[in-house]
Amino acid sequence: VRSAVGTVMGDDDLLALAGHLDAMTFALSGPAAAALRDEGKRIARLLRGVVTRTAEPRAPLLVVVGGGSGAGKSTTVNTLAGVAVTSASAIRPTTRIPTLVCHPDDRAWFDDPRVLPELPRDDVRGSDPSREPDTVPGGAPRRLRLAVSDQLPRGIGLLDTPDIDSVEIANHRLADEALDAADGWVWLATSRTYADEVGMTYLRRARARQALTAVAVTQVRPHEHAEVLADVDRLLASEGIDPALRTQVPHVEVADGRLPADAVAELRNWLAALAPTDRRVEVRQQAATGLRSALPAELTPLRDAVVQEQRAAQRLTRLVDDRYAELPHRLDAELEDGISLRADVLDRWQRLVGGNEAMLRVQTVLGQVGDLVRSGLGRPTQEDTAQVRVEVAGELTRIVTRLLETTGRAVRRDLEGDLVGRDLLDANPALRREDPDLDLRVRTTIDGWEDHVAELIETVGGPRKEQARRRSTALNAVATTAILVLFALSGGLTGGEVGIAAAASAASQWLLVRMLGEQNVKRLLEDIGAELTRRVEALAHEDRRRFDRAIATASPSDAAHEALRTVTGAGS
Amino acid sequence: VTGSSARGDGHPDLAATIAALDAVADLGPGRVADEHVADAVALRATIDERLALGDGLTVVAVAGGTGVGKSALVNRLVGAPVATEGIRRPTTSWPLAITATALVDPATAPVDPATAPVDPATALLRWLQVDDWVPAPDGFPEGLVLLDLPDHDSVVASHRETAHRLARRVDGLIVVVDPVKYARADLHEGPLAALADHAEVVTVALNRIDELRDDDVRRCVEDLTSHLTVPGRARPTVVATSASTGEGVDALRDQLRQLVAARSAAQRRLIADAVSLGRRIGPELQALPDPTPDRDELHEALMVATDAHRRVGEADLAYRRDARGATRSPLARLARLPIRGVAGVARAFGVGEGTAMPPSVPRPSSARIEAVLADQLRLATVTGAVHAALGDTVGHLAARGAPALADAVGGVGVRPDPRSWWPALAAARGVAEAVALVGFVWLVLLGVADWLQLPEIPTPRITEVVTWPTALLLGGLLLRVVLGILTRVLVARGARHHARRVERDILARLDRVTDEQLLVPFRAELTRHEQLREAVGRLSPPRR
C-alpha cells in the first residue's frame, strides 16, 4: 500500500512537495527545529534527485562509497581507481570533502549541475590531489572534488563520502546528501565496527529504499575471516538486509593510499557488471522506484513533526482563546462596578439635568444668551455636557484599555510558561511589548460608539417636535444622558458625593424618558449596551490578531501538511 | 590549551552539595522545569544510597564502543584472562565485576539471602544490579571493583541501556577508544557529554596504539584531547594504551590505584553529577528584577488605580458642602427648601429610595492592581519560566490585595468634623441679615406711613444725613457681603487643608497595605527565587 502511494506521485507532485519541504521552518518544534529543517531540505533535494534520475535514464550511475570513519572508504576508492585520488590519515575524520572519480568520458555528465546540485565542483585535473590539504580548519567547505581515472569502467562514477559517524556533523550531512543522490551504494565497515548502530541505521535506510547495495567488510585479518563474515551475514539477515554483494577486503598493507589491486577484485567486478547501458537503465529505474517507495517512511518523521506542530499551534491558540474569551465577562464585571466620574463633573451634571430642564432650552437664541449669562455666573451650560461626555469617554477608554492590556499580559504569561510559546515570543519580540497605539485605538472606538449612540437617538426619537432641535448640539447632551443612564442601570454612577450620583442618574433617566418615551428608552439602552460590547469585542479581536499572526506564521502551512499526509498515506 | 588545571577551583564538599540539592528539590517546583526538580530528587536519593554503601570500595567501570578492546584492556589491567575477548561484535553482553573482595554467592548461601547480612561488595553489586563477578588474582588493588561494561554503540539496544545505566552509577570510569572510534559523535555527544564535569574521575584510554605509527599516536592523542576540551571545564586525563603490547597499561593501573587509595571517587563523582545538574538548571534562572520599586511612583500609580484622587476630591467637595451648609444663615436655609424637589424626582423613578444611595467607595479591580504591580516591579524585563512564575505570583497578590487596598482608601472618611467657627459664622451672618432686615422693615414702615400721609414718625439720625434705618439696612448688607467673602475664603482654605489631610491618611494606609499585602509577599517570592538561584549556583563551582 505504501509503495503504491509513493509511485502514483508524478514528477510535478514530487517537485511541489520539495518546494513545501524547503519552505518549512518548524518554528513550533522547539529544540528539534534545526534538525527538522535540515531533514526537510535533505528530502527536498532527494525528491529533485528522483525527478532528475527519471529524466535521464541512460546517464552514468552514481555509486556512493559510504561507511563510518576509518572504514577505509578513501583507500577503497583509490584502489578501485588505480590512483590515489583522495588522501588517508590517522586523524579522524579524514575525508571532509567528497571526491567523485569517474572515467574521463563520463566527466561531462558528472560536471552537470543536476548531479549533486548543491555541491560546487572543484576541478583537480592535472594536480596531485593527495598532496592537497584535505582537512580545512573551521569546518568543511561545501564542494565536490572531481577526478578522473581510465581504470574505472565507463558509465560508473564512484563517490568517496565523508564519514557518517564522527563529531563533524557537517560530514554527516554531506554523506547523507551523497547517499540520497546514489544509484548504488558500496557500504564499508571494518571487522571491528560492523555491528555499530550508526552504520546499521544507514543499511536499514538502504533496505527501505531498495537501494542496490554492496556490503564490504574491510580490514579482515586472516584468523578472523570465517567467523567475522559468518557473523556479518547473521547480522544482515537478522536485520532483513539482503545486499546485492557481500564481500570482504583483507587487512593488508596500504601503499600510496592504495591496497593491492586484487584486494578489491570482487567489488571491481560487481561495478563493471553495472556499467553496460541496459543494466544502467535497470539500476537507475530501480533506484528511482525504490526511493519513491521509501518516501512515506522517510517523510514520516517530518509528518509527525508537522502533526505535533499543529497540535502545538492549537494549544497556543487555545491559550490565547481562553484569555480573550474571559474579556467580555470581565468587561461586564467592570461596567457593573460602575463608571466613576469626577466629582465636580458629576455635580455639575446633576445640577444641569436636575435643574428645571435647562438642557431643553439651550438651543434657543435666548438659551444661548442664557448660556453666556450662566457661564458668567458659574452655572452649568452646554459646555458641561461636552465635558461630561469627554469624561465618560475617558473613563471608558481607561477601563477597556486596561482590560486589553491585562488580557495581553496574561496571554504573554501563558506563552512564557510554555516551551514552544517561549520560542514564539523569542521569534516575535514585539509580542513581549505592549502595543503603543492601544490607547489611541480604544479611544477611537469609544468615540465611535458615542457617535453611534447619538445617531441612534435621532432615529429612536421618532417624529417628535423636538427632533429638529435635537439634531443640533443638544443631540450630544441627550446622547450623553443616554450613556449615563446605561451605566446608571448596569452598575450605577460612582464618584462624587453620596447621593449626587444617584440623583444625577435618576434625573437623567427621567429626562430621557420624557424626551424619547419609555419604550424607546428601553430599546435604546439595550441597543447601545449591545453595541458597546460588540465594538469592544471587535477591538479585542483586532488586538489578538498579533498573537494569531505570530502563531500562523510559525505553523506549517495546510498545503504542506496535506502534501505530507498524501505521501505518507495517513488516512486521517 | 591548559591542562586539567581547572581542578584547582575547589569543589564544594558533599555536605554543601546535599544542602544545595535539598534546596533545589524544595524551592524548584513551579520555578524551574519539572525534569530538573526530578533530577535533583533522584540525585539526592542516589547520594544517600551510595553513601550508605560506604567508601571502602571504589567501583571503576571500563566503558567504550564495540571493538575498541575493552575486555582485552581489562584483562591486561587485571593481569589474568577474566573477561571474554572475541572477534564477533558486540562481544560483551553483560557487565562483569572483578573484585579482590570475596563475595558470598547468594544462590548458594545457607541462609535466606533477603534477610542475611551482606558484605559491602555484595551490597554494592546488588545496588549496581551487576550479577556476574569473578575474583581477582593477587596484586589486584584492595578496595577496587572493576566493571567490564558492554558497548554503548552497537546494534544491540540492551547493551546501550546497561552501559548507560551503570555509567551513571559507578564511581570512576575508564572510557576506552581506539584510533578508528576516538572522534565518534555517538561517544562525544553521548556518554562523554554527560561526563563533561567528571574529569576527576574519568580517564580516557586511547587503546590499540600499536596499530599506529609513533608520530600518528602523538597526533591522535592531540586530536582526541582537543575533542575532549570543553571551555571552562577540566579535561579528563588521556592515556595511550595498547592491550596487546601492554604499553601504557601500567600508567592506567597507577591511575586506578590512586583513585582507589583516595577513597573519595564516589563523593567526587556525585559532586560532579551535581555540578552537571547545576549547569543544566543555571541558564533557566534569570536574574530577577530589582524588588524595590520607586515608592513615590508606586504610590502615585496605586492612588490612580484605587481612585484615591477622586476620594481626595470628594473630601474637598464634602468639606465645602458641609461648611457651606453649616455657615448658612437661618434665612438662607429657609430659601433653599425647594431644592429638595430633586430627591422627590428620584423617588418617583424608584432610584435611590433615600436609604439605598450607592456608597461612593472605590472598587479597584484586581486587574488594575496587577497592572500597577507588574509595571512597577518591571516584570516585563524577565522572560521565560521566571516570567510565568513571577507573573502568577503578582496576579495572586493583586487578587488578594485589591479588597484590602479598596478598604484602605474607602476607610478614610471624607466628611470633615464640624468646625467650631461654622456656627459662629452662621450666627454672624444671621445677625448681619437680621440687622439689614430690621433696617429694611423700618424703612418700609416709614415709607408706608409716608404714603398713607400719616404723621411723620420721628426717625433717629446718626448724623445729619444718615438715619438709623438706612444705616441698619446698608450696614447689615455690607456686613453680610463681607461675611460672605470671608466665608468663601475660609471654606476654601479649610477644604484644601481637609483634602490634604485625607490624602495623607489615604497614603499612610495605602503604604501599610501595600507593604503588608503586596511587597512583603512579593519579596518573599523573590527571596525564594534568589535562594534557588544561589542553591543552583552552589551546585556548580564558579567559572573562571
Side-chain angles (χ1 to χ4, degrees):
Chain A
V1 177
R2 275 162 144 209
S3 64
V5 176
T7 47
V8 294
M9 299 271 294
D11 287 354
D12 292 342
D13 296 335
L14 292 184
L15 291 177
L17 181 59
H20 286 311
L21 291 175
D22 268 340
M24 287 169 96
T25 59
F26 295 100
L28 296 181
S29 290
L36 286 167
R37 263 198 306 276
D38 284 344
E39 179 74 353
K41 298 236 185 309
R42 179 182 76 80
I43 297 183
R45 269 196 302 272
L46 183 147
L47 293 171
R48 296 199 175 97
V50 171
V51 174
T52 309
R53 230 175 302 221
T54 317
E56 297 282 347
R58 305 168 71 83
L61 292 181
L62 179 67
V63 177
V64 173
V65 181
S69 183
K73 297 179 293 296
S74 298
T75 309
T76 306
V77 169
N78 288 346
T79 311
L80 286 169
V83 56
V85 290
T86 74
S87 61
S89 102
I91 300 299
R92 305 274 146 236
T94 316
T95 304
R96 289 167 198 236
I97 302 168
T99 302
L100 195 149
V101 52
C102 61
H103 192 274
D105 293 354
D106 294 333
R107 218 198 115 84
W109 164 251
F110 288 111
D111 229 358
D112 190 320
R114 278 180 297 170
V115 184
L116 296 164
E118 307 219 346
L119 292 174
R121 304 302 194 261
D122 190 6
D123 199 342
V124 295
R125 191 170 21 180
S127 70
D128 183 353
S130 59
R131 300 272 154 74
E132 261 185 48
D134 202 14
T135 53
V136 183
R142 288 187 53 88
R143 55 198 174 114
L144 175 68
R145 189 182 279 171
L146 209 52
V148 292
S149 159
D150 52 12
Q151 292 198 30
L152 281 175
R154 279 189 192 78
I156 298 285
L158 267 186
L159 180 58
D160 174 26
T161 62
D163 66 274
I164 43 92
D165 58 5
S166 84
V167 285
E168 295 290 338
I169 302 300
N171 281 4
H172 308 187
R173 293 216 191 104
L174 279 173
D176 282 351
E177 214 172 302
L179 289 169
D180 288 344
D183 296 305
W185 296 33
V186 172
W187 193 257
L188 303 181
T190 70
S191 61
R192 293 207 293 257
T193 58
Y194 66 83
D196 285 0
E197 172 67 12
V198 191
M200 195 53 71
T201 57
Y202 279 85
L203 282 176
R204 288 182 201 127
R205 187 184 291 177
R207 178 191 66 196
R209 293 178 181 177
Q210 300 160 31
L212 185 75
T213 311
V215 174
V217 186
T218 58
Q219 297 169 26
V220 182
R221 288 162 179 77
H223 69 277
E224 38 180 46
H225 184 270
E227 193 174 353
V228 164
L229 289 187
D231 198 42
V232 169
D233 287 343
R234 178 197 58 77
L235 187 64
L236 290 177
S238 75
E239 293 280 353
I241 296 161
D242 183 20
L245 172 74
R246 203 273 295 126
T247 180
Q248 55 105 7
V249 179
H251 182 79
V252 285
E253 197 59 38
V254 177
D256 192 21
R258 279 179 288 162
L259 303 169
D262 59 348
V264 295
E266 264 190 288
L267 263 181
R268 188 192 311 282
N269 294 339
W270 182 73
L271 285 174
L274 297 180
T277 311
D278 294 351
R279 179 72 182 131
R280 280 213 310 270
V281 172
E282 208 178 305
V283 168
R284 244 178 136 67
Q285 180 64 37
Q286 185 195 335
T289 313
L291 276 175
R292 279 168 186 265
S293 68
L295 272 184
E298 300 247 352
L299 285 168
T300 299
L302 291 185
R303 188 208 57 203
D304 291 349
V306 166
V307 170
Q308 283 299 321
E309 288 213 305
Q310 285 187 329
R311 284 207 195 110
Q314 278 166 12
R315 190 179 68 233
L316 297 183
T317 308
R318 211 161 38 237
L319 286 183
V320 181
D321 280 346
D322 287 351
R323 289 301 183 180
Y324 276 94
E326 290 168 10
L327 198 127
H329 307 294
R330 295 178 68 160
L331 178 66
D332 287 349
E334 285 274 353
L335 294 184
E336 265 163 38
D337 274 356
I339 67 167
S340 168
L341 296 179
R342 240 173 48 220
D344 55 330
V345 173
L346 203 54
D347 197 42
R348 259 185 283 177
W349 179 257
Q350 190 267 334
R351 280 193 278 154
L352 182 68
V353 294
N356 53 33
E357 302 172 44
M359 228 170 49
L360 288 179
R361 297 203 312 257
V362 294
Q363 299 326 309
T364 59
V365 177
L366 197 63
Q368 282 167 8
V369 173
D371 273 359
L372 277 174
V373 175
R374 270 192 296 275
S375 63
L377 294 173
R379 297 281 310 276
T381 67
Q382 180 66 30
E383 286 297 302
D384 291 323
T385 59
Q387 205 185 341
V388 171
R389 187 180 151 159
V390 168
E391 173 84 352
V392 171
E395 182 62 17
L396 267 180
T397 304
R398 272 191 291 280
I399 290 177
V400 173
T401 307
R402 200 172 53 236
L403 268 181
L404 290 175
E405 271 174 4
T406 312
T407 307
R409 205 175 278 132
V411 169
R412 181 193 158 190
R413 192 162 75 214
D414 288 349
L415 290 179
E416 296 273 15
D418 185 294
L419 278 178
V420 178
R422 213 173 293 166
D423 285 349
L424 194 73
L425 291 174
D426 287 341
N428 301 276
L431 294 185
R432 285 205 166 107
R433 287 192 293 272
E434 314 228 318
D435 181 1
D437 298 335
L438 182 62
D439 204 47
L440 187 68
R441 282 194 292 128
V442 174
R443 186 68 203 225
T444 313
T445 305
I446 298 296
D447 285 348
W449 174 69
E450 288 194 343
D451 291 344
H452 174 80
V453 173
E455 280 165 29
L456 261 186
I457 283 170
E458 256 189 309
T459 52
V460 168
R464 281 204 170 204
K465 59 175 178 170
E466 292 95 343
Q467 199 182 8
R469 278 193 276 149
R470 279 205 306 272
R471 203 185 300 280
S472 58
T473 43
L475 203 57
N476 267 341
V478 183
T480 309
T481 313
I483 291 165
L484 285 178
V485 172
L486 174 70
F487 296 117
L489 289 185
S490 67
L493 301 170
T494 65
E497 272 177 292
V498 176
I500 288 197
S505 305
S508 304
Q509 200 171 355
W510 172 80
L511 190 68
L512 206 59
V513 170
R514 242 210 70 178
M515 292 174 70
L516 303 177
E518 196 155 356
Q519 277 310 308
N520 284 339
V521 169
K522 200 164 163 257
R523 216 173 54 226
L524 174 75
L525 292 181
E526 277 170 12
D527 282 358
I528 64 176
E531 183 66 15
L532 177 63
T533 313
R534 197 187 65 73
R535 288 186 186 223
V536 171
E537 277 177 12
L539 200 57
H541 188 74
E542 193 185 327
D543 206 40
R544 67 166 286 174
R545 281 224 318 260
R546 60 201 184 117
F547 291 110
D548 290 335
R549 259 200 305 271
I551 295 174
T553 311
S555 304
S557 73
D558 286 344
H561 181 218
E562 187 54 39
L564 276 175
R565 242 184 39 171
T566 314
V567 181
T568 52
S572 52
Chain B
V1 178
T2 58
S4 47
S5 54
R7 282 179 194 184
D9 276 350
H11 283 308
D13 62 3
L14 193 57
T17 297
I18 290 174
L21 278 175
D22 283 342
V24 172
D26 180 34
L27 297 167
R31 300 191 178 94
V32 291
D34 291 346
E35 64 190 75
H36 294 326
V37 179
D39 284 352
V41 172
L43 179 56
R44 186 69 185 79
T46 308
I47 290 177
D48 281 346
E49 288 165 18
R50 182 63 187 89
L51 290 187
L53 294 163
D55 62 0
L57 290 171
T58 302
V59 187
V60 177
V62 180
T66 177
V68 296
K70 290 183 298 297
S71 298
L73 195 62
V74 165
N75 288 345
R76 267 286 181 178
L77 274 172
V78 175
V82 287
T84 320
E85 297 172 44
I87 292 165
R88 292 186 203 181
R89 303 288 155 214
T91 314
T92 307
S93 294
W94 307 105
L96 174 71
I98 302 111
T99 170
T101 317
L103 294 174
V104 182
D105 188 348
T108 57
V111 288
D112 180 6
T115 56
V118 290
D119 59 286
T122 308
L124 197 54
L125 289 185
R126 270 190 202 166
W127 181 64
L128 293 168
Q129 297 171 28
V130 172
D131 298 331
D132 295 345
W133 66 277
V134 290
D138 294 342
F140 191 76
E142 275 297 322
L144 172 66
V145 178
L146 196 64
L147 282 184
D148 181 19
L149 294 190
D151 65 90
H152 63 77
D153 64 355
S154 82
V155 290
V156 187
S158 66
H159 291 192
R160 267 198 296 285
E161 283 153 22
T162 307
H164 286 162
R165 178 174 63 77
L166 284 170
R168 279 199 291 272
R169 288 208 152 184
V170 296
D171 306 330
L173 271 162
I174 296 172
V175 179
V176 187
V177 297
D178 72 1
V180 173
K181 286 194 167 178
Y182 76 84
R184 290 269 295 246
D186 56 4
L187 172 76
H188 290 279
E189 277 150 30
L192 278 182
L195 296 170
D197 293 297
H198 296 62
E200 290 192 340
V201 292
V202 172
T203 303
V204 178
L206 176 65
N207 197 23
R208 294 192 193 274
I209 52 167
D210 52 300
E211 294 175 6
L212 292 174
R213 291 196 307 271
D214 283 352
D215 57 334
D216 280 346
V217 172
R218 190 183 44 76
R219 289 170 59 201
C220 248
V221 169
E222 274 171 16
D223 199 35
L224 171 59
T225 309
S226 75
H227 284 309
L228 291 171
T229 305
V230 183
R233 322 233 184 140
R235 185 180 345 110
T237 317
V238 176
V239 180
T241 62
S242 166
S244 49
T245 65
E247 200 181 340
V249 173
D250 287 341
L252 197 57
R253 198 180 290 122
D254 283 347
Q255 285 247 324
L256 273 180
R257 276 188 207 285
Q258 280 170 21
L259 202 62
V260 171
R263 291 171 67 129
S264 63
Q267 294 195 20
R268 281 189 278 169
R269 194 258 139 83
L270 293 167
I271 290 171
D273 283 344
V275 170
S276 276
L277 180 62
R279 281 193 212 276
R280 285 204 299 280
I281 308 179
E284 280 195 23
L285 288 171
Q286 231 183 323
L288 295 167
D290 181 5
T292 46
D294 185 284
R295 268 212 121 64
D296 289 344
E297 266 180 41
L298 179 63
H299 281 154
E300 181 52 35
L302 281 176
M303 290 277 285
V304 172
T306 52
D307 272 345
H309 286 306
R310 192 152 290 162
R311 191 93 182 139
V312 173
E314 282 170 33
D316 185 275
L317 209 66
Y319 184 96
R320 284 169 197 274
R321 209 196 61 158
D322 281 9
R324 269 207 300 271
T327 54
R328 222 166 256 147
S329 65
L331 210 61
R333 283 172 213 216
L334 262 171
R336 286 182 60 82
L337 265 179
I339 294 287
R340 308 228 169 115
V342 171
V345 173
R347 270 194 292 279
F349 274 86
V351 177
E353 283 285 11
T355 51
M357 294 288 184
S360 169
V361 175
R363 283 165 288 186
S365 62
S366 63
R368 273 200 228 184
I369 308 300
E370 193 180 331
V372 168
L373 273 185
D375 205 32
Q376 293 293 317
L377 297 169
R378 286 178 282 286
L379 211 57
T381 57
V382 289
T383 56
V386 176
H387 179 94
L390 287 185
D392 283 344
T393 306
V394 164
H396 212 66
L397 292 177
R400 238 184 35 196
L405 286 170
D407 288 349
V409 174
V412 177
V414 294
R415 291 288 294 272
D417 294 331
R419 303 293 195 264
S420 52
W421 52 270
W422 291 352
L425 212 49
R429 290 169 78 171
V431 166
E433 283 164 10
V435 167
L437 196 62
V438 166
F440 177 71
V441 171
W442 196 342
L443 281 177
V444 168
L445 283 177
L446 284 176
V448 169
D450 189 39
W451 182 61
L452 292 176
Q453 303 208 337
L454 295 175
E456 193 176 339
I457 303 169
T459 313
R461 286 174 183 272
I462 299 173
T463 63
E464 283 294 310
V465 199
V466 186
T467 59
W468 266 105
T470 311
L472 285 180
L473 175 65
L474 292 180
L477 282 178
L478 186 66
L479 185 60
R480 172 63 181 80
V481 168
V482 170
L483 283 174
I485 292 170
L486 183 67
T487 310
R488 277 197 177 220
V489 171
L490 287 179
V491 166
R493 223 187 53 166
R496 232 170 18 246
H497 279 280
H498 176 61
R500 226 173 283 152
R501 192 191 58 76
V502 166
E503 184 171 11
R504 270 200 307 276
D505 280 3
I506 289 179
L507 268 181
R509 279 162 177 254
L510 271 185
D511 199 42
R512 205 178 54 241
V513 174
T514 308
D515 262 346
E516 280 171 10
Q517 302 276 334
L518 305 177
L519 291 185
V520 168
F522 186 74
R523 280 208 198 94
E525 171 62 21
L526 287 186
T527 309
R528 284 190 286 275
H529 255 282
E530 208 42 58
Q531 284 169 345
L532 179 62
R533 249 166 75 83
E534 201 189 311
V536 170
R538 268 183 283 139
L539 289 179
S540 296
R543 289 189 194 187
R544 307 211 281 170

